Amino acid sequence: MEKGRLIAFSDGVIAIIITIMVLELKVPHGDDLAALRPLNPLFLSYILSFINLGIYWNNHHHLFQVVQYVSGRVLWVNLHLLFWLSLIPFVTAWMGENYFTALPVAFYGGVLLFSAIAYLILTMALIVHHGQGSAIATAIGRDFKGKVSVAIYAVSILLAFANSWLAFSLYVLVAMMWLVPDRRIEKAMR
């Protein structure tokens, strides 16, 4: 099957997720900076979530640059990823509205964890579909960064109950790891 519809659908879903997230930022009833102060936790969680969604969109785009075609299995696995990403607006709002308390921060980490796992499953499904000697298999390699991200998210979920801000900081750390451009796919395309 052609990959174009999968890419277009995924792009649309991620755009809708970002739109839903920004709609959670309510306009304050006041005209001074003090009126914005109660929005700080929600805005902080929004920034991290926007960056995470941007990272997924960017990596998804790069991933499908080395993919020639997709299968029905790949469509379902991609939908699995989009399911977890679609939960980001909910946990973002919950975490921000509750000032980064333990349970919402842990749930936020859970959604990030399952999104990361779903992305790993997607890459594995594409490698199986295209073969071990394919450009995508070469580009992904051992996927050290992906596996480390999953481990950090798992630790952060537990840590949220001891220190939710430290757990949140680890979520930021993972995002920073992924903000560094990943050249593996670009190298594989040369």
Side-chain angles (χ1 to χ4, degrees):
M1 289 183 250
E2 292 292 319
K3 63 183 181 178
R5 290 195 63 196
L6 178 143
I7 295 167
F9 179 74
S10 300
D11 287 351
V13 169
I14 292 171
I16 290 168
I17 292 169
I18 289 172
T19 302
I20 290 169
M21 224 170 41
V22 77
L23 292 175
E24 288 294 323
L25 296 174
K26 304 297 181 206
V27 176
H29 298 291
D31 61 355
D32 59 355
L33 290 176
L36 293 173
R37 196 169 300 125
L39 292 177
N40 285 343
L42 193 56
F43 190 65
L44 181 60
S45 61
Y46 169 80
I47 290 170
L48 179 59
S49 295
F50 185 91
I51 289 168
N52 274 310
L53 286 166
I55 289 166
Y56 274 104
W57 176 79
N58 192 330
N59 286 326
H60 192 273
H61 171 75
H62 277 85
L63 185 66
F64 280 89
Q65 293 302 303
V66 291
V67 168
Q68 296 173 0
Y69 46 88
V70 296
S71 65
R73 181 172 189 263
V74 170
L75 293 175
W76 281 108
V77 170
N78 188 71
L79 200 57
H80 175 242
L81 169 64
L82 295 175
F83 168 77
W84 289 106
L85 294 179
S86 74
L87 294 175
I88 288 178
F90 170 75
V91 291
T92 298
W94 192 29
M95 184 171 66
E97 290 284 337
N98 290 289
Y99 297 88
F100 301 93
T101 56
L103 191 60
V105 170
F107 267 76
Y108 184 84
V111 169
L112 293 179
L113 172 66
F114 285 109
S115 296
I117 290 170
Y119 190 83
L120 287 173
I121 293 170
L122 176 61
T123 60
M124 289 187 294
L126 288 167
I127 290 169
V128 166
H129 188 63
H130 286 80
Q132 287 299 324
S134 65
I136 188 162
T138 302
I140 297 301
R142 295 178 188 218
D143 197 15
F144 178 75
K145 207 160 51 164
K147 292 173 183 166
V148 167
S149 299
V150 168
I152 292 172
Y153 287 144
V155 168
S156 299
I157 293 166
L158 298 174
L159 186 59
F161 296 102
N163 187 330
S164 60
W165 282 104
L166 185 55
F168 183 81
S169 298
L170 289 175
Y171 304 151
V172 171
L173 174 69
V174 173
M176 288 172 47
M177 281 177 18
W178 285 98
L179 280 175
V180 174
D182 193 348
R183 305 275 185 232
R184 295 177 299 174
I185 291 178
E186 291 170 5
K187 286 180 185 175
M189 292 176 62
R190 291 182 192 156

